[in-house]
Amino acid sequence: MSAEAVLRLDGIHKAFGGLQVLRDVGFAVGGGEIVGLIGPNGAGKSTCFNVVTSIYRPDRGEVRLAGQRIDGMRPDRICRRGVARTFQLVRTFQRMTALQNVMVGAVYGRRERTGQAGQAALDALAVVGLAGQRARLAAHMTLSDRRLLEIARALATQPLVVLLDEPMAGLNAAEIEQLLEVIRRIRDERGVAVLWVEHKVDAIMATCDRVVVLDGGSKIADAPPAAVVADPKVIEAYLGEPVA
């Protein structure tokens, strides 16, 4: 982990009407760090992502990227500053090829010219193992490959940090292992930090440098995986029993 945080949340509060969804949430993601964000359904994980990407404005608190405050900025400006994300439900452009899908990220995220966007897209496809499918329509790709395509599109924006929202949903064991390799490659080859929401706890614990746990909108743990799985508060709120 880099000594300086790439992404930092401080004292984030968010409510919808009378429902308090986030309560004083704060944590950081260091450069080149993979951080898992876990917790029960309704814990506030997706809301946290939406606050970082400015889909929601926090009621109180700050979000900083590389030391600069970004909460309240337009989502497109946040993307160009260096935050990219994927979604729980795959959002690819079905009538476009894999290459065209990823070029959208390059153009939108960095306003690349067409030639530069094409090369940036090819490089991102190579990272996720889809270079051989560059001409395939997204509509003809498997769910697993479309999830990888979303990650490639995020990488094409040249982010400092990428937010992955349950990328393993609906995947089989072999596809999960492939995706784990891609997540490690994002960090190792690109130096991109990863904040990762996932319900497959074994994958989180085997891959992440650190794990943040939310419950009822509050942070109840922020530690390396071995400490998190042994934390009584986490066991009671989410795990049920220690993970082997």
Side-chain angles (χ1 to χ4, degrees):
M1 172 181 169
S2 170
E4 183 177 352
V6 171
L7 179 67
R8 181 180 295 277
L9 287 72
D10 288 311
I12 299 295
H13 291 258
K14 182 62 186 177
F16 298 98
L19 179 62
Q20 191 72 39
V21 180
L22 295 176
R23 297 178 176 85
D24 194 28
V25 171
F27 61 87
V29 180
E33 190 177 29
I34 301 175
V35 176
L37 183 60
I38 66 172
N41 289 331
K45 304 180 298 297
S46 291
T47 300
C48 197
F49 269 26
N50 288 336
V51 166
V52 171
T53 55
S54 209
I55 293 174
Y56 302 146
R57 184 188 291 267
D59 300 325
R60 299 207 309 271
E62 297 182 356
V63 181
R64 292 184 179 271
L65 180 71
Q68 300 298 310
R69 192 167 176 179
I70 62 170
D71 52 279
M73 283 186 179
R74 296 198 317 262
D76 61 308
R77 291 188 63 196
I78 290 175
C79 179
R80 292 184 182 117
R81 288 283 183 110
V83 178
R85 71 171 295 181
T86 65
F87 294 86
Q88 291 180 25
L89 299 177
V90 179
R91 299 183 179 184
T92 51
F93 300 106
Q94 296 293 80
R95 296 183 181 181
M96 295 169 63
T97 67
L99 180 61
Q100 290 167 338
N101 264 271
V102 181
M103 284 178 68
V104 169
V107 172
Y108 179 82
R110 293 296 179 188
R111 295 181 176 174
E112 299 278 18
R113 295 181 178 178
T114 303
Q116 295 170 318
Q119 188 57 55
L122 286 172
D123 292 344
L125 285 169
V127 172
V128 303
L130 292 179
Q133 297 196 52
R134 68 191 70 156
R136 185 182 295 272
L137 291 176
H140 298 161
M141 300 176 77
T142 65
L143 172 62
S144 175
D145 285 344
R146 283 187 286 121
R147 289 202 180 277
L148 292 172
L149 184 60
E150 269 205 327
I151 294 174
R153 188 171 59 196
L155 289 177
T157 69
Q158 301 176 41
L160 298 174
V161 58
V162 61
L163 281 52
L164 303 179
D165 198 350
E166 296 192 38
M168 295 181 175
L171 304 189
N172 62 36
E175 291 165 342
I176 287 172
E177 189 56 41
Q178 180 185 16
L179 185 52
L180 286 175
E181 287 299 319
V182 167
I183 291 171
R184 296 185 188 104
R185 203 176 301 139
I186 290 170
R187 188 263 310 275
D188 296 342
E189 296 182 8
R190 288 293 187 98
V192 175
V194 178
L195 179 60
W196 172 19
V197 168
E198 187 57 65
H199 281 293
K200 297 187 184 301
V201 178
D202 53 347
I204 286 280
M205 298 304 173
T207 309
C208 292
D209 301 301
R210 194 159 46 83
V211 179
V212 175
V213 187
L214 300 182
D215 182 41
S218 299
K219 185 180 75 173
I220 63 171
D222 182 350
V228 168
V229 298
D231 189 320
K233 297 191 299 295
V234 178
I235 293 170
E236 180 181 0
Y238 186 51
L239 298 180
E241 60 183 22
V243 176

